[in-house]
Every structure is written in C-alpha cells, then in structure tokens.
Amino acid sequence: MSDSSERIRDAVRHGYAEIAQGKPGCCGSSAPDKLASGIGYMSEDLESLPDGANMGLSCGNPTAIANLKPGQGVLDLGSGGGFDVFIAAKRLGPNGRAIGVDMTPEMLNKARASIPKFTEKTGLSNVEFRLGEIEHIPVADARVDAVISNCVINLSPDKEQVWREIARVLKPGGKACISDLALKKPLPEQLLNSVSALVCCVAGAVLVDETLRMIRQAGLTIDNVAEKKYNIDVMTDSNDPLYRQVKESLPQGSTLGDYVVSVDIIAMKS
C-alpha cells in the first residue's frame, strides 16, 4: 500500500469518525430528512429507520435502483450509520440479509448500536455490520445478489480494486447499484490537493467515462447510467469549516455544481 493511499484513508477515516461523533461535516446536510426526500427516499422508508441512522451523507438512492426482492442478500459498501442497510433490510424481509461494511470504527459502533432499535420497529433481525475496507471486502466470493453504495467509492484511493472486489463478491447474475459523485470536468488543482475536499466527497471523484472503464475492466457489464444534477451546494446551510475551505478554493463565480454530477450506475455480473 502506498503512503499516499494510506494518507487518504487516514484523512477519510478521521473525517467520518468526527461525523459519527456528532460533529458537522461538509459531506452531509444539516437537514438529512429533507435531503433524503429530495433524492427519492420514500417517507415510509425514513419512518422505519432507527433514530440517527440518516446522517445526510447520501447523493442518491441505490436501494431504489437495485429493485431489491425478498430473500436476497445485499452488501452496502461504506455503510456509515446504517442508513441504506436498514432500508434494504426492510425490503429483503426475514429470509434476506443486509450486510454493511465500513472502515471507520466509530461509524460501525453507531450502526451496530441501532440494530436493536431497528428490530424493535420492524421485527426483523436480518442486519449485520462488518469492519473493513472496500478495497478488501470482508465477504466471501459470489456471496451476494446485489452490491449497493452511496457516495463512497469516490473516496477510495484505489477505485479499480474496489470494482474488482465488487465483481468478486457478486453471485453470477448479481448486480452493482451505485450512487456516487463524478466529474463533469476536471477540478481546479487546488481542490485536487485539498484534504477538506476529499472528506467532502469531491477531490476523489473521477470523470464518468473513467468510472465506466474501471467497471468494464473488472468484468462487469454496464446496464444503465443515469446522470443527474446534484445540488452539492445544499451544504451552504452548514457552518462547517471544511465546506467553507472547499468553497473558497473554487474559481470566482463558480460552484461545486459546475464540476460535480451525481451518477446512478447499474452493472451486472454474467
């Protein structure tokens, strides 16, 4: 592992540990339910969540595009406080299984502490959370029907390895349903070198075509790609100093939305 990759992981782990402990972060919204509703989460999904699971860290709705079925096995990469895992688990029912993987112990502890609350609300005991990096997923080969991820792969210093791992853990016929941030055009150099921008889910993003190339190289077939304008500047309601640092690094008169788009990708394993 290169020193630069480890520095990136340490920066991301530290930033999200602080978010898990209740400190504001620029990758999230101060109105998480409003953000979730705006990107397509249904009110009944949000009502079934344990308190605190929705931390406003989403840029899409991968559980919706995955079209999950009862009895399936689903893996969420970078599961954070468990938001999409709990939503998926409700759709999978008692015979399904939802697994979350996250490399930040503080996030993992928060998610695991919410499991009893989820069971109390839904009567389901079909959720687990594992500590691990998405470049080295702690799941056996050909084990899950669907892999989901929400605004996380852009944070990885080795995205090609992430896609290889996704292909490994999927069953034949399985699918990856990913909501993430991608670039419409290259970022200004000062943002590329900004740790603040990385934790804000920006500096690690790559061009859409680059993501599609990695998916194909991993042996997956691209089924659908949907770009949509992502109002990343929703974070202007935050007083978080990281967001201010990122905003100040932009050329005068421009916004993050000029550079960044939200992408929903579905890729299949044959």
Side-chain angles (χ1 to χ4, degrees):
M1 183 186 302
S2 70
D3 289 343
S4 62
S5 293
E6 191 56 35
R7 283 196 298 271
I8 289 171
R9 286 197 183 91
D10 286 345
V12 171
R13 188 180 289 113
H14 176 73
Y16 282 84
E18 291 199 332
I19 293 172
Q21 293 165 351
K23 297 179 182 178
C26 65
C27 198
S29 168
S30 63
D33 285 348
K34 180 179 178 182
L35 173 65
S37 297
I39 55 179
Y41 286 92
M42 306 299 289
S43 58
E44 53 265 35
D45 288 332
L46 302 179
E47 288 166 2
S48 68
L49 290 171
D51 292 343
N54 181 9
M55 304 172 73
L57 301 174
S58 303
C59 63
N61 186 353
T63 57
I65 64 173
N67 191 24
L68 301 175
K69 307 295 185 185
Q72 289 184 323
V74 175
L75 170 66
D76 182 19
L77 300 183
S79 50
F83 179 59
D84 285 308
V85 173
F86 291 122
I87 289 175
K90 187 178 177 185
R91 298 182 183 183
L92 299 174
N95 296 320
R97 192 75 178 164
I99 302 169
V101 169
D102 203 281
M103 71 171 182
T104 305
E106 291 84 356
M107 282 291 188
L108 200 72
N109 292 339
K110 183 178 180 66
R112 285 174 172 168
S114 294
I115 293 176
K117 304 171 191 174
F118 174 74
T119 300
E120 182 180 343
K121 278 192 169 187
T122 65
L124 295 169
S125 301
N126 59 349
V127 168
E128 66 174 294
F129 295 97
R130 301 179 184 179
L131 181 66
E133 296 173 352
I134 62 174
E135 299 86 359
H136 308 283
I137 301 171
V139 173
D141 295 356
R143 186 55 59 93
V144 297
D145 299 287
V147 173
I148 62 174
S149 189
N150 198 340
C151 209
V152 170
I153 295 177
N154 65 82
L155 297 168
S156 171
D158 192 351
K159 297 171 183 61
E160 290 187 358
Q161 173 65 12
V162 174
W163 282 105
R164 287 192 293 268
E165 280 289 272
I166 289 173
R168 178 184 66 79
V169 301
L170 279 172
K171 295 177 183 178
K175 57 188 172 182
C177 301
I178 308 299
S179 295
D180 214 339
L181 298 184
L183 299 182
K184 295 188 281 187
K185 58 184 178 180
L187 289 169
E189 186 173 352
Q190 61 266 37
L191 268 185
L192 284 174
N193 297 323
S194 168
V195 171
S196 302
L198 177 66
V199 178
C200 290
C201 309
V202 176
V206 296
L207 295 169
V208 176
D209 286 347
E210 178 69 4
T211 296
L212 301 183
R213 179 193 64 78
M214 293 184 220
I215 294 171
R216 294 187 182 103
Q217 282 195 341
L220 300 173
T221 301
I222 296 166
D223 182 67
N224 190 61
V225 180
E227 296 183 25
K228 54 188 184 295
K229 183 177 180 181
Y230 174 59
N231 186 16
I232 196 167
D233 298 292
V234 70
M235 278 89 76
T236 54
D237 65 358
S238 170
N239 293 318
D240 178 62
L242 286 183
Y243 179 79
R244 290 201 302 272
Q245 289 174 32
V246 171
K247 191 175 180 181
E248 290 165 4
S249 297
L250 291 168
Q252 187 172 3
S254 64
T255 68
L256 285 176
D258 295 329
Y259 294 89
V260 180
V261 65
S262 178
V263 182
D264 287 341
I265 298 173
I266 301 175
M268 308 297 296
K269 180 176 180 178
S270 60

